[in-house]
Amino acid sequence: MTDTSTASAGSVPLAPRAWPLLGHALPLLRDPLAFIMSLSGYREMVRVRLGPSSAVMICDPDLTRQVFLNDRTFDKGGPIYDRIREVIGDGLSTCAYPLHRRQRRLCQPSFHPTRLAGYGTVFARAAAAKAGSWRDGDVLDVTQEMMTLTTRATMETMFSGALPAETMQRCLADTAVIVSAFFRRMMTPALLRRLPTRQKRRYDDARTRLAATIAEIIAERRADPTDHADLLSTLVAAVDEESEDGRRQLNDAELADEALTFFLGGMETTAITLAWALHLLATNPDVQHRLKAETDQVLAGGKLDPAHLPSLGLASRVVTETLRLYPPAWMMTRVVREDAELGGVRFKGGSTIVLSPYLLHRRADLYDEPDRFDPDRWLDAQPDRRATYIPFGAGARKCIGDQFALTEAILALTAIVDRWELSPVGDQPFQPKVETSLSSRGLRLRLTERRSADPGDAEHAAAAPLSASVQPSTQPGAAACPVKHGK
Ligand code: HEM
Protein backbone atom coordinates (compact mmCIF):
# COMPACT_ATOMS: atom_id res chain seq x y z
CA MET A 1 0.00 0.00 0.00
CA THR A 2 1.57 3.31 -1.01
CA ASP A 3 0.12 6.58 0.18
CA THR A 4 1.99 9.83 -0.35
CA SER A 5 0.37 11.41 2.76
CA THR A 6 2.03 8.84 5.05
CA ALA A 7 5.59 8.84 6.42
CA SER A 8 7.93 5.86 6.28
CA ALA A 9 8.80 3.82 9.41
CA GLY A 10 12.32 5.32 9.23
CA SER A 11 10.81 8.68 10.20
CA VAL A 12 9.47 7.31 13.51
CA PRO A 13 11.58 8.91 16.28
CA LEU A 14 14.47 6.78 17.53
CA ALA A 15 14.52 6.12 21.28
CA PRO A 16 17.40 7.99 22.98
CA ARG A 17 20.75 6.50 24.02
CA ALA A 18 21.26 4.09 21.09
CA TRP A 19 24.85 2.78 21.09
CA PRO A 20 26.79 2.40 17.87
CA LEU A 21 26.47 -1.23 16.65
CA LEU A 22 24.55 -2.43 19.73
CA GLY A 23 21.63 -0.01 19.54
CA HIS A 24 19.46 -0.37 22.65
CA ALA A 25 20.53 -3.95 23.48
CA LEU A 26 22.34 -2.90 26.67
CA PRO A 27 19.53 -0.96 28.41
CA LEU A 28 17.11 -3.65 27.24
CA LEU A 29 19.19 -6.39 28.82
CA ARG A 30 20.14 -4.37 31.92
CA ASP A 31 16.71 -3.06 32.94
CA PRO A 32 14.09 -3.77 30.30
CA LEU A 33 11.13 -2.43 32.30
CA ALA A 34 12.82 0.89 33.04
CA PHE A 35 13.74 1.15 29.37
CA ILE A 36 10.18 0.37 28.23
CA MET A 37 8.68 2.87 30.70
CA SER A 38 11.17 5.53 29.54
CA LEU A 39 9.35 5.32 26.20
CA SER A 40 5.90 6.10 27.62
CA GLY A 41 6.33 9.79 26.70
CA TYR A 42 6.01 8.76 23.03
CA ARG A 43 2.30 8.82 22.43
CA GLU A 44 2.05 6.71 19.28
CA MET A 45 5.26 4.89 18.35
CA VAL A 46 9.02 4.92 18.78
CA ARG A 47 11.89 3.12 17.07
CA VAL A 48 14.20 0.79 19.01
CA ARG A 49 17.42 -0.72 17.64
CA LEU A 50 18.83 -4.14 18.44
CA GLY A 51 22.19 -4.43 16.75
CA PRO A 52 21.74 -3.77 13.05
CA SER A 53 17.98 -4.39 13.05
CA SER A 54 15.33 -2.04 14.30
CA ALA A 55 11.75 -2.46 15.48
CA VAL A 56 8.92 -0.01 16.01
CA MET A 57 7.32 -0.08 19.43
CA ILE A 58 3.64 0.87 19.50
CA CYS A 59 2.74 3.00 22.55
CA ASP A 60 -0.89 3.81 21.76
CA PRO A 61 -3.81 1.52 22.75
CA ASP A 62 -5.84 2.06 19.56
CA LEU A 63 -2.87 1.36 17.31
CA THR A 64 -2.04 -1.69 19.43
CA ARG A 65 -5.57 -2.93 18.89
CA GLN A 66 -5.34 -2.34 15.14
CA VAL A 67 -2.24 -4.53 15.06
CA PHE A 68 -3.96 -7.29 17.06
CA LEU A 69 -7.08 -7.22 14.90
CA ASN A 70 -5.26 -7.36 11.55
CA ASP A 71 -3.36 -10.60 12.08
CA ARG A 72 -3.08 -11.30 8.36
CA THR A 73 -0.83 -8.25 7.88
CA PHE A 74 0.69 -8.01 11.38
CA ASP A 75 1.48 -11.68 11.75
CA LYS A 76 3.08 -13.64 14.56
CA GLY A 77 6.84 -13.42 14.17
CA GLY A 78 9.85 -11.43 15.30
CA PRO A 79 12.59 -12.35 17.77
CA ILE A 80 10.33 -13.65 20.59
CA TYR A 81 8.38 -16.03 18.39
CA ASP A 82 11.45 -17.17 16.45
CA ARG A 83 12.99 -18.41 19.71
CA ILE A 84 9.77 -19.93 21.05
CA ARG A 85 9.32 -21.75 17.73
CA GLU A 86 12.65 -23.53 18.39
CA VAL A 87 10.86 -25.40 21.18
CA ILE A 88 7.23 -25.73 20.22
CA GLY A 89 7.48 -25.75 16.43
CA ASP A 90 4.48 -24.40 14.56
CA GLY A 91 1.98 -24.85 17.38
CA LEU A 92 -1.08 -22.63 17.76
CA SER A 93 0.76 -19.78 19.47
CA THR A 94 3.69 -19.56 17.04
CA CYS A 95 2.25 -20.57 13.66
CA ALA A 96 1.90 -17.98 10.92
CA TYR A 97 -1.45 -16.69 9.68
CA PRO A 98 -1.95 -19.25 6.83
CA LEU A 99 -1.79 -22.14 9.35
CA HIS A 100 -3.62 -20.46 12.20
CA ARG A 101 -7.36 -20.71 11.61
CA ARG A 102 -7.31 -24.51 11.06
CA GLN A 103 -5.30 -25.03 14.24
CA ARG A 104 -7.52 -22.72 16.25
CA ARG A 105 -10.63 -24.64 15.09
CA LEU A 106 -8.98 -27.92 16.12
CA CYS A 107 -7.84 -26.64 19.54
CA GLN A 108 -10.94 -24.66 20.49
CA PRO A 109 -13.02 -27.66 21.71
CA SER A 110 -10.37 -28.36 24.37
CA PHE A 111 -11.24 -25.01 25.99
CA HIS A 112 -15.02 -25.16 25.61
CA PRO A 113 -16.84 -23.99 28.77
CA THR A 114 -18.25 -27.49 29.25
CA ARG A 115 -14.68 -28.79 29.59
CA LEU A 116 -13.68 -25.95 31.91
CA ALA A 117 -16.08 -27.09 34.62
CA GLY A 118 -14.26 -30.44 34.83
CA TYR A 119 -10.84 -28.74 34.80
CA GLY A 120 -12.04 -26.46 37.63
CA THR A 121 -12.58 -29.50 39.85
CA VAL A 122 -8.98 -30.55 39.24
CA PHE A 123 -7.71 -27.02 39.94
CA ALA A 124 -9.62 -26.77 43.22
CA ARG A 125 -8.33 -30.12 44.41
CA ALA A 126 -4.73 -29.47 43.34
CA ALA A 127 -4.77 -26.06 45.07
CA ALA A 128 -6.20 -27.47 48.32
CA ALA A 129 -3.56 -30.21 48.22
CA LYS A 130 -0.75 -27.70 47.67
CA ALA A 131 -2.01 -25.42 50.47
CA GLY A 132 -2.28 -28.51 52.69
CA SER A 133 1.39 -29.41 52.14
CA TRP A 134 2.83 -26.33 53.92
CA ARG A 135 3.59 -25.82 57.62
CA ASP A 136 3.09 -22.90 59.95
CA GLY A 137 6.10 -20.54 59.77
CA ASP A 138 7.34 -21.88 56.42
CA VAL A 139 9.13 -19.43 54.15
CA LEU A 140 8.03 -20.35 50.65
CA ASP A 141 9.93 -20.11 47.41
CA VAL A 142 6.64 -18.84 45.98
CA THR A 143 7.40 -19.15 42.27
CA GLN A 144 8.72 -22.69 42.64
CA GLU A 145 5.64 -23.69 44.67
CA MET A 146 3.25 -22.13 42.15
CA MET A 147 5.13 -23.79 39.28
CA THR A 148 4.70 -27.23 40.88
CA LEU A 149 1.03 -26.45 41.48
CA THR A 150 0.29 -25.32 37.91
CA THR A 151 2.50 -28.03 36.37
CA ARG A 152 0.55 -30.64 38.28
CA ALA A 153 -2.82 -29.05 37.45
CA THR A 154 -1.87 -28.58 33.77
CA MET A 155 -0.56 -32.13 33.49
CA GLU A 156 -3.66 -33.56 35.11
CA THR A 157 -6.09 -31.57 32.96
CA MET A 158 -4.05 -32.38 29.86
CA PHE A 159 -3.08 -35.96 30.43
CA SER A 160 -5.58 -37.08 33.15
CA GLY A 161 -4.43 -39.52 35.75
CA ALA A 162 -1.30 -39.41 37.81
CA LEU A 163 1.93 -39.19 35.87
CA PRO A 164 4.85 -40.78 37.71
CA ALA A 165 6.40 -38.28 40.14
CA GLU A 166 9.73 -38.67 38.36
CA THR A 167 8.20 -37.66 34.98
CA MET A 168 6.51 -34.66 36.61
CA GLN A 169 9.80 -33.55 38.23
CA ARG A 170 11.71 -33.96 34.98
CA CYS A 171 9.15 -31.90 33.04
CA LEU A 172 9.27 -29.19 35.69
CA ALA A 173 13.07 -28.99 35.67
CA ASP A 174 13.27 -29.00 31.85
CA THR A 175 10.57 -26.35 31.57
CA ALA A 176 12.41 -24.11 34.04
CA VAL A 177 15.63 -24.37 31.99
CA ILE A 178 13.80 -23.61 28.73
CA VAL A 179 11.78 -20.61 29.89
CA SER A 180 14.70 -18.97 31.63
CA ALA A 181 16.84 -19.33 28.46
CA PHE A 182 14.26 -17.82 26.07
CA PHE A 183 14.88 -14.13 26.78
CA ARG A 184 18.68 -14.28 26.72
CA ARG A 185 18.57 -16.30 23.48
CA MET A 186 16.19 -13.76 22.02
CA MET A 187 18.61 -10.91 22.75
CA THR A 188 21.73 -12.79 21.61
CA PRO A 189 22.88 -12.47 17.98
CA ALA A 190 22.46 -15.67 15.90
CA LEU A 191 26.18 -16.39 15.64
CA LEU A 192 26.68 -16.32 19.42
CA ARG A 193 23.54 -18.40 19.96
CA ARG A 194 25.15 -21.27 18.05
CA LEU A 195 28.32 -21.41 20.20
CA PRO A 196 28.49 -24.78 22.03
CA THR A 197 28.41 -23.28 25.55
CA ARG A 198 27.37 -25.17 28.67
CA GLN A 199 24.17 -23.11 28.81
CA LYS A 200 23.32 -24.03 25.21
CA ARG A 201 23.88 -27.74 25.93
CA ARG A 202 21.59 -27.57 28.98
CA TYR A 203 18.95 -25.79 26.91
CA ASP A 204 19.21 -28.27 23.99
CA ASP A 205 19.08 -31.26 26.37
CA ALA A 206 16.02 -29.91 28.22
CA ARG A 207 14.24 -29.20 24.93
CA THR A 208 14.95 -32.69 23.53
CA ARG A 209 13.92 -34.43 26.78
CA LEU A 210 10.67 -32.51 27.18
CA ALA A 211 9.69 -33.18 23.55
CA ALA A 212 10.49 -36.89 24.02
CA THR A 213 8.35 -37.08 27.18
CA ILE A 214 5.38 -35.48 25.43
CA ALA A 215 5.84 -37.74 22.37
CA GLU A 216 5.83 -40.78 24.68
CA ILE A 217 2.56 -39.67 26.31
CA ILE A 218 0.97 -39.12 22.88
CA ALA A 219 2.10 -42.55 21.64
CA GLU A 220 0.50 -44.17 24.71
CA ARG A 221 -2.72 -42.26 24.09
CA ARG A 222 -2.84 -43.27 20.40
CA ALA A 223 -2.52 -46.88 21.55
CA ASP A 224 -5.50 -46.43 23.91
CA PRO A 225 -7.88 -44.02 22.19
CA THR A 226 -10.74 -44.19 24.76
CA ASP A 227 -11.99 -40.75 25.87
CA HIS A 228 -10.06 -39.84 28.99
CA ALA A 229 -12.12 -36.62 29.18
CA ASP A 230 -8.93 -34.58 29.28
CA LEU A 231 -7.38 -31.97 27.04
CA LEU A 232 -5.31 -34.47 25.07
CA SER A 233 -8.34 -36.68 24.32
CA THR A 234 -10.20 -33.65 22.96
CA LEU A 235 -7.22 -32.74 20.78
CA VAL A 236 -6.83 -36.30 19.47
CA ALA A 237 -10.54 -36.48 18.63
CA ALA A 238 -10.89 -32.95 17.19
CA VAL A 239 -12.14 -32.79 13.59
CA ASP A 240 -11.94 -29.70 11.40
CA GLU A 241 -15.29 -29.69 9.59
CA GLU A 242 -14.19 -26.71 7.46
CA SER A 243 -11.03 -28.39 6.18
CA GLU A 244 -10.50 -27.68 2.48
CA ASP A 245 -7.39 -29.79 1.98
CA GLY A 246 -8.53 -33.07 3.54
CA ARG A 247 -6.40 -32.60 6.69
CA ARG A 248 -9.32 -32.92 9.08
CA GLN A 249 -7.33 -34.00 12.17
CA LEU A 250 -4.01 -33.24 13.86
CA ASN A 251 -1.20 -35.66 12.99
CA ASP A 252 1.30 -36.86 15.65
CA ALA A 253 3.82 -34.06 15.05
CA GLU A 254 1.07 -31.41 15.22
CA LEU A 255 -0.34 -33.01 18.37
CA ALA A 256 3.09 -32.87 20.02
CA ASP A 257 3.49 -29.19 19.08
CA GLU A 258 0.05 -28.32 20.49
CA ALA A 259 0.59 -30.33 23.68
CA LEU A 260 3.92 -28.56 24.25
CA THR A 261 2.30 -25.22 23.43
CA PHE A 262 -0.42 -25.70 26.05
CA PHE A 263 2.01 -27.08 28.56
CA LEU A 264 4.61 -24.32 28.27
CA GLY A 265 2.08 -21.56 27.53
CA GLY A 266 -0.19 -22.55 30.36
CA MET A 267 1.85 -23.38 33.32
CA GLU A 268 4.51 -20.71 33.65
CA THR A 269 2.19 -17.77 32.89
CA THR A 270 -0.38 -18.91 35.43
CA ALA A 271 2.25 -19.74 38.05
CA ILE A 272 3.84 -16.31 37.89
CA THR A 273 0.44 -14.60 37.90
CA LEU A 274 -0.32 -16.46 41.13
CA ALA A 275 3.09 -15.65 42.62
CA TRP A 276 2.61 -11.94 41.88
CA ALA A 277 -0.92 -12.04 43.30
CA LEU A 278 0.41 -13.55 46.54
CA HIS A 279 3.17 -10.92 46.65
CA LEU A 280 0.61 -8.13 46.21
CA LEU A 281 -1.61 -9.60 48.94
CA ALA A 282 1.35 -9.93 51.32
CA THR A 283 2.28 -6.30 50.77
CA ASN A 284 -1.35 -5.10 50.96
CA PRO A 285 -2.69 -6.72 54.15
CA ASP A 286 -5.99 -4.78 54.01
CA VAL A 287 -6.86 -6.45 50.68
CA GLN A 288 -5.69 -9.79 52.05
CA HIS A 289 -8.04 -9.45 55.05
CA ARG A 290 -10.96 -8.59 52.81
CA LEU A 291 -10.16 -11.57 50.62
CA LYS A 292 -10.10 -13.88 53.65
CA ALA A 293 -13.52 -12.49 54.66
CA GLU A 294 -14.87 -13.24 51.17
CA THR A 295 -13.41 -16.74 51.34
CA ASP A 296 -15.04 -17.38 54.76
CA GLN A 297 -18.38 -16.17 53.51
CA VAL A 298 -18.34 -18.10 50.23
CA LEU A 299 -16.89 -21.37 51.50
CA ALA A 300 -18.69 -21.23 54.86
CA GLY A 301 -16.54 -24.09 56.15
CA GLY A 302 -17.21 -26.24 53.06
CA LYS A 303 -14.82 -27.42 50.36
CA LEU A 304 -13.73 -25.17 47.49
CA ASP A 305 -15.59 -25.98 44.30
CA PRO A 306 -15.75 -24.41 40.80
CA ALA A 307 -19.43 -23.62 41.52
CA HIS A 308 -18.13 -20.95 43.95
CA LEU A 309 -16.51 -18.97 41.12
CA PRO A 310 -19.33 -16.49 40.45
CA SER A 311 -19.25 -15.47 44.15
CA LEU A 312 -15.49 -14.93 44.31
CA GLY A 313 -15.67 -11.33 43.08
CA LEU A 314 -12.74 -9.91 45.04
CA ALA A 315 -10.48 -12.88 44.21
CA SER A 316 -11.34 -12.31 40.57
CA ARG A 317 -10.53 -8.57 40.78
CA VAL A 318 -7.24 -9.36 42.53
CA VAL A 319 -6.26 -11.58 39.59
CA THR A 320 -7.38 -8.93 37.06
CA GLU A 321 -5.37 -6.23 38.83
CA THR A 322 -2.33 -8.53 39.17
CA LEU A 323 -2.39 -9.12 35.42
CA ARG A 324 -2.51 -5.35 34.88
CA LEU A 325 0.53 -4.67 37.07
CA TYR A 326 2.52 -7.76 36.11
CA PRO A 327 1.34 -9.03 32.71
CA PRO A 328 3.45 -12.19 32.16
CA ALA A 329 3.54 -11.47 28.41
CA TRP A 330 4.97 -7.99 28.99
CA MET A 331 6.11 -7.66 25.38
CA MET A 332 4.97 -9.28 22.12
CA THR A 333 6.31 -9.00 18.60
CA ARG A 334 4.76 -9.04 15.14
CA VAL A 335 6.15 -9.15 11.62
CA VAL A 336 4.60 -7.01 8.88
CA ARG A 337 3.89 -9.51 6.09
CA GLU A 338 3.23 -7.02 3.29
CA ASP A 339 3.69 -3.24 3.01
CA ALA A 340 1.07 -1.66 5.24
CA GLU A 341 0.02 1.62 6.83
CA LEU A 342 -0.50 2.07 10.56
CA GLY A 343 -1.20 5.37 12.31
CA GLY A 344 -0.11 7.37 9.26
CA VAL A 345 3.20 5.50 8.95
CA ARG A 346 4.18 3.21 6.06
CA PHE A 347 5.72 -0.09 7.12
CA LYS A 348 7.63 -2.23 4.67
CA GLY A 349 6.98 -5.98 4.55
CA GLY A 350 9.43 -7.69 6.92
CA SER A 351 9.42 -4.86 9.51
CA THR A 352 9.18 -5.85 13.17
CA ILE A 353 6.58 -4.33 15.49
CA VAL A 354 6.68 -4.53 19.29
CA LEU A 355 3.59 -4.35 21.51
CA SER A 356 3.77 -3.99 25.27
CA PRO A 357 0.92 -4.64 27.71
CA TYR A 358 3.28 -3.53 30.51
CA LEU A 359 3.66 -0.08 28.95
CA LEU A 360 -0.08 0.41 28.33
CA HIS A 361 -1.11 -0.96 31.73
CA ARG A 362 1.14 1.53 33.55
CA ARG A 363 0.41 4.66 31.57
CA ALA A 364 -0.76 7.45 33.91
CA ASP A 365 -3.11 8.87 31.28
CA LEU A 366 -4.91 5.51 31.04
CA TYR A 367 -4.97 4.42 34.71
CA ASP A 368 -5.17 6.60 37.84
CA GLU A 369 -2.12 6.00 40.03
CA PRO A 370 -1.01 3.25 37.67
CA ASP A 371 1.58 1.72 40.02
CA ARG A 372 -0.92 1.28 42.87
CA PHE A 373 -2.47 -2.16 43.52
CA ASP A 374 -6.19 -1.41 43.63
CA PRO A 375 -8.42 -4.38 42.75
CA ASP A 376 -11.49 -2.20 43.24
CA ARG A 377 -10.63 -0.11 40.20
CA TRP A 378 -12.29 -3.00 38.33
CA LEU A 379 -15.61 -2.76 40.24
CA ASP A 380 -17.26 -0.54 37.64
CA ALA A 381 -14.81 -0.95 34.81
CA GLN A 382 -16.12 0.43 31.54
CA PRO A 383 -15.90 -1.52 28.28
CA ASP A 384 -13.43 1.05 26.89
CA ARG A 385 -10.89 -0.52 29.23
CA ARG A 386 -10.68 -3.29 26.65
CA ALA A 387 -8.29 -1.38 24.41
CA THR A 388 -5.98 -0.55 27.32
CA TYR A 389 -6.07 -3.88 29.19
CA ILE A 390 -4.47 -6.64 27.15
CA PRO A 391 -2.80 -9.28 29.36
CA PHE A 392 -4.20 -11.97 27.04
CA GLY A 393 -3.72 -10.05 23.78
CA ALA A 394 -6.74 -9.49 21.53
CA GLY A 395 -8.34 -10.48 18.23
CA ALA A 396 -7.99 -13.86 16.54
CA ARG A 397 -4.67 -14.58 18.34
CA LYS A 398 -6.06 -13.82 21.79
CA CYS A 399 -5.03 -16.35 24.42
CA ILE A 400 -7.08 -19.52 23.99
CA GLY A 401 -6.42 -20.43 27.64
CA ASP A 402 -7.61 -17.16 29.25
CA GLN A 403 -10.64 -18.65 31.02
CA PHE A 404 -8.64 -21.79 31.90
CA ALA A 405 -5.96 -19.60 33.53
CA LEU A 406 -8.41 -17.29 35.31
CA THR A 407 -10.38 -20.21 36.69
CA GLU A 408 -7.19 -21.85 37.93
CA ALA A 409 -5.78 -18.65 39.44
CA ILE A 410 -8.98 -17.59 41.25
CA LEU A 411 -9.49 -21.04 42.75
CA ALA A 412 -5.84 -21.37 43.81
CA LEU A 413 -5.78 -17.93 45.40
CA THR A 414 -8.94 -18.72 47.34
CA ALA A 415 -7.61 -22.06 48.57
CA ILE A 416 -4.34 -20.48 49.73
CA VAL A 417 -5.82 -17.41 51.47
CA ASP A 418 -8.38 -19.63 53.17
CA ARG A 419 -5.59 -21.51 54.96
CA TRP A 420 -2.67 -19.10 55.18
CA GLU A 421 -1.80 -15.55 56.02
CA LEU A 422 1.06 -14.33 53.83
CA SER A 423 3.65 -11.77 54.83
CA PRO A 424 6.80 -10.42 53.18
CA VAL A 425 10.27 -11.64 54.16
CA GLY A 426 12.58 -8.68 54.79
CA ASP A 427 11.80 -5.11 53.94
CA GLN A 428 13.39 -4.78 50.51
CA PRO A 429 10.89 -4.25 47.67
CA PHE A 430 10.83 -7.28 45.39
CA GLN A 431 11.63 -6.60 41.72
CA PRO A 432 10.55 -8.67 38.70
CA LYS A 433 13.16 -10.66 36.79
CA VAL A 434 12.52 -9.72 33.23
CA GLU A 435 12.70 -12.68 30.89
CA THR A 436 10.38 -13.64 28.05
CA SER A 437 7.82 -13.43 30.87
CA LEU A 438 7.76 -11.01 33.78
CA SER A 439 9.15 -13.54 36.20
CA SER A 440 8.71 -13.59 39.97
CA ARG A 441 11.72 -15.93 40.37
CA GLY A 442 13.28 -15.62 43.83
CA LEU A 443 10.14 -14.31 45.57
CA ARG A 444 9.86 -15.58 49.14
CA LEU A 445 6.91 -15.15 51.52
CA ARG A 446 6.28 -16.25 55.10
CA LEU A 447 3.21 -18.29 56.05
CA THR A 448 1.16 -18.11 59.22
CA GLU A 449 -1.54 -20.72 59.63
CA ARG A 450 -5.14 -19.46 59.85
CA ARG A 451 -6.76 -22.89 60.17
CA SER A 452 -5.45 -26.43 60.18
CA ALA A 453 -5.70 -28.84 57.28
CA ASP A 454 -8.87 -30.75 56.46
CA PRO A 455 -8.43 -34.50 56.27
CA GLY A 456 -7.80 -35.29 52.60
CA ASP A 457 -6.11 -31.98 51.79
CA ALA A 458 -2.72 -33.66 51.89
CA GLU A 459 -0.46 -33.33 48.87
CA HIS A 460 -1.00 -36.94 47.81
CA ALA A 461 -4.72 -36.27 47.34
CA ALA A 462 -3.95 -34.47 44.10
CA ALA A 463 -2.16 -37.47 42.72
CA ALA A 464 -5.30 -39.61 42.77
CA PRO A 465 -6.53 -40.75 39.33
CA LEU A 466 -8.28 -37.82 37.75
CA SER A 467 -10.25 -39.23 34.90
CA ALA A 468 -13.27 -39.37 37.20
CA SER A 469 -13.09 -35.67 37.98
CA VAL A 470 -12.19 -34.36 34.53
CA GLN A 471 -15.62 -35.08 33.18
CA PRO A 472 -17.28 -32.64 30.85
CA SER A 473 -20.00 -30.75 32.68
CA THR A 474 -23.54 -31.16 31.46
CA GLN A 475 -24.23 -27.55 32.44
CA PRO A 476 -22.69 -25.21 29.92
CA GLY A 477 -21.06 -22.28 31.62
CA ALA A 478 -21.10 -23.91 35.05
CA ALA A 479 -17.53 -22.76 35.57
CA ALA A 480 -18.02 -19.44 33.84
CA CYS A 481 -15.42 -17.09 35.20
CA PRO A 482 -16.68 -13.88 36.73
CA VAL A 483 -13.98 -11.98 34.84
CA LYS A 484 -14.67 -11.51 31.18
CA HIS A 485 -12.00 -10.04 28.97
CA GLY A 486 -13.58 -8.66 25.85
CA LYS A 487 -12.06 -8.78 22.42
C1 HEM B 1 -2.29 -15.92 33.20
C2 HEM B 1 -2.03 -16.80 32.28
C3 HEM B 1 -1.84 -16.49 30.83
C4 HEM B 1 -1.46 -15.34 30.22
C5 HEM B 1 -1.14 -14.00 30.87
C6 HEM B 1 -1.43 -15.59 28.80
C7 HEM B 1 -1.10 -14.64 27.85
C8 HEM B 1 -1.22 -14.84 26.49
C9 HEM B 1 -1.05 -13.82 25.49
C10 HEM B 1 -0.72 -12.37 25.76
C11 HEM B 1 -1.26 -14.39 24.29
C12 HEM B 1 -1.24 -13.69 22.93
C13 HEM B 1 0.18 -13.54 22.45
C14 HEM B 1 0.28 -12.69 21.19
O1 HEM B 1 -0.72 -12.22 20.67
O2 HEM B 1 1.42 -12.50 20.74
C15 HEM B 1 -1.52 -15.79 24.51
C16 HEM B 1 -1.76 -16.72 23.51
C17 HEM B 1 -1.92 -18.06 23.76
N1 HEM B 1 -2.02 -18.67 24.98
FE1 HEM B 1 -1.98 -17.77 26.78
N2 HEM B 1 -1.75 -16.90 28.58
C18 HEM B 1 -2.03 -17.47 29.79
C19 HEM B 1 -2.44 -18.77 30.00
C20 HEM B 1 -2.56 -19.73 29.03
C21 HEM B 1 -2.99 -21.08 29.25
C22 HEM B 1 -3.42 -21.65 30.60
C23 HEM B 1 -2.91 -21.72 28.04
C24 HEM B 1 -3.23 -23.15 27.69
C25 HEM B 1 -3.48 -24.11 28.53
C26 HEM B 1 -2.48 -20.75 27.06
C27 HEM B 1 -2.29 -21.01 25.73
C28 HEM B 1 -2.15 -20.02 24.78
C29 HEM B 1 -2.14 -20.29 23.34
C30 HEM B 1 -2.25 -21.66 22.68
C31 HEM B 1 -2.01 -19.05 22.70
C32 HEM B 1 -1.99 -18.79 21.20
C33 HEM B 1 -3.40 -18.51 20.70
C34 HEM B 1 -3.48 -18.26 19.20
O3 HEM B 1 -2.52 -17.74 18.61
O4 HEM B 1 -4.53 -18.59 18.63
N3 HEM B 1 -2.28 -19.56 27.70
N4 HEM B 1 -1.50 -16.04 25.86
Side-chain angles (χ1 to χ4, degrees):
M1 181 186 297
T2 317
D3 176 350
T4 47
S5 67
T6 55
S8 77
S11 67
V12 172
L14 182 68
R17 295 187 300 278
W19 285 49
L21 299 177
L22 291 174
H24 299 97
L26 285 181
L28 256 174
L29 274 173
R30 205 177 290 139
D31 192 348
L33 296 182
F35 178 70
I36 295 286
M37 288 318 292
S38 76
L39 306 179
S40 61
Y42 295 89
R43 281 289 165 256
E44 297 205 318
M45 43 184 104
V46 57
R47 216 151 35 90
V48 173
R49 272 189 38 224
L50 263 186
S53 47
S54 77
V56 170
M57 167 128 189
I58 309 295
C59 309
D60 172 78
D62 292 325
L63 295 180
T64 301
R65 200 164 172 74
Q66 284 179 41
V67 172
F68 276 134
L69 295 186
N70 185 356
D71 65 317
R72 182 198 291 259
T73 302
F74 304 110
D75 200 357
K76 279 279 177 96
I80 295 186
Y81 288 107
D82 291 347
R83 295 289 75 73
I84 298 179
R85 203 172 277 128
E86 287 176 359
V87 177
I88 54 180
D90 271 326
L92 181 62
S93 70
T94 40
C95 67
Y97 175 83
L99 300 177
H100 178 255
R101 297 302 191 267
R102 167 180 179 267
Q103 291 198 38
R104 185 89 187 195
R105 286 194 297 272
L106 284 163
C107 293
Q108 201 72 58
S110 301
F111 295 90
H112 192 271
T114 53
R115 290 276 171 186
L116 265 181
Y119 303 156
T121 308
V122 176
F123 298 150
R125 200 169 70 210
K130 175 51 84 185
S133 71
W134 300 325
R135 280 170 312 182
D136 195 24
D138 275 356
V139 171
L140 293 186
D141 177 337
V142 184
T143 310
Q144 182 65 22
E145 286 297 294
M146 294 304 104
M147 291 276 267
T148 50
L149 168 59
T150 59
T151 304
R152 166 163 273 163
T154 307
M155 286 230 153
E156 290 178 357
T157 47
M158 281 182 73
F159 309 127
S160 75
L163 288 176
E166 189 198 326
T167 311
M168 191 91 86
Q169 278 311 325
R170 200 173 56 223
C171 288
L172 186 63
D174 288 338
T175 307
V177 171
I178 292 168
V179 294
S180 72
F182 271 153
F183 186 62
R184 216 143 261 287
R185 290 184 62 75
M186 191 181 101
M187 294 294 174
T188 310
L191 210 60
L192 294 181
R193 267 200 315 271
R194 284 197 283 272
L195 288 180
T197 59
R198 204 165 66 89
Q199 271 175 333
K200 180 176 184 306
R201 264 200 310 278
R202 270 189 83 208
Y203 170 77
D204 286 343
D205 289 350
R207 198 156 66 107
T208 312
R209 232 178 358 242
L210 188 61
T213 309
I214 302 277
E216 225 172 87
I217 297 171
I218 289 173
E220 279 170 20
R221 188 56 60 86
R222 287 280 198 211
D224 168 22
T226 46
D227 184 4
H228 293 245
D230 58 10
L231 219 149
L232 187 58
S233 284
T234 328
L235 269 183
V236 170
V239 176
D240 179 11
E241 301 294 353
E242 295 173 42
S243 166
E244 286 168 1
D245 59 5
R247 293 182 311 130
R248 285 163 50 85
Q249 292 201 275
L250 294 167
N251 63 31
D252 278 1
E254 290 170 330
L255 263 179
D257 284 352
E258 301 307 0
L260 263 173
T261 297
F262 295 154
F263 184 64
L264 285 174
M267 101 233 179
E268 201 227 359
T269 44
T270 315
I272 58 182
T273 301
L274 272 167
W276 283 119
L278 296 175
H279 164 72
L280 289 165
L281 290 173
T283 47
N284 293 271
D286 52 326
V287 181
Q288 193 180 159
H289 286 142
R290 285 175 52 212
L291 189 56
K292 172 60 180 157
E294 173 179 278
T295 305
D296 286 346
Q297 195 190 348
V298 174
L299 300 190
K303 275 213 176 305
L304 179 62
D305 187 274
H308 293 128
L309 279 165
S311 312
L312 296 170
L314 180 56
S316 157
R317 293 198 299 284
V318 166
V319 173
T320 304
E321 180 69 344
T322 302
L323 285 166
R324 183 185 70 81
L325 284 169
Y326 299 106
W330 62 284
M331 182 168 108
M332 301 170 221
T333 53
R334 292 291 189 268
V335 161
V336 182
R337 286 292 169 213
E338 55 200 33
D339 294 4
E341 186 268 331
L342 177 73
V345 173
R346 253 186 349 265
F347 285 87
K348 282 203 174 313
S351 318
T352 303
I353 284 188
V354 181
L355 309 170
S356 174
Y358 187 87
L359 176 71
L360 291 191
H361 291 181
R362 297 224 181 201
R363 263 179 58 165
D365 57 334
L366 302 177
Y367 289 92
D368 291 338
E369 296 184 75
D371 295 334
R372 193 160 71 87
F373 174 60
D374 177 14
D376 290 340
R377 71 172 81 232
W378 297 99
L379 267 173
D380 304 308
Q382 299 301 311
D384 63 1
R385 274 277 181 252
R386 288 172 183 181
T388 67
Y389 183 75
I390 47 165
F392 294 107
R397 307 299 300 244
K398 187 176 178 220
C399 179
I400 200 170
D402 57 351
Q403 297 304 317
F404 182 103
L406 291 169
T407 304
E408 184 176 7
I410 294 167
L411 290 171
L413 213 54
T414 305
I416 293 169
V417 170
D418 183 43
R419 288 279 319 272
W420 301 101
E421 186 179 330
L422 302 131
S423 46
V425 177
D427 47 15
Q428 293 301 313
F430 182 77
Q431 297 299 337
K433 310 280 177 299
V434 185
E435 299 168 345
T436 316
S437 310
L438 212 51
S439 173
S440 52
R441 204 157 34 83
L443 173 66
R444 283 147 51 89
L445 293 177
R446 191 179 307 281
L447 295 176
T448 308
E449 191 159 36
R450 296 185 202 268
R451 66 164 187 82
S452 51
D454 288 334
D457 272 0
E459 179 84 32
H460 64 78
L466 285 157
S467 40
S469 58
V470 192
Q471 292 299 337
S473 161
T474 49
Q475 300 169 3
C481 179
V483 184
K484 292 275 176 253
H485 298 290
K487 288 201 172 180

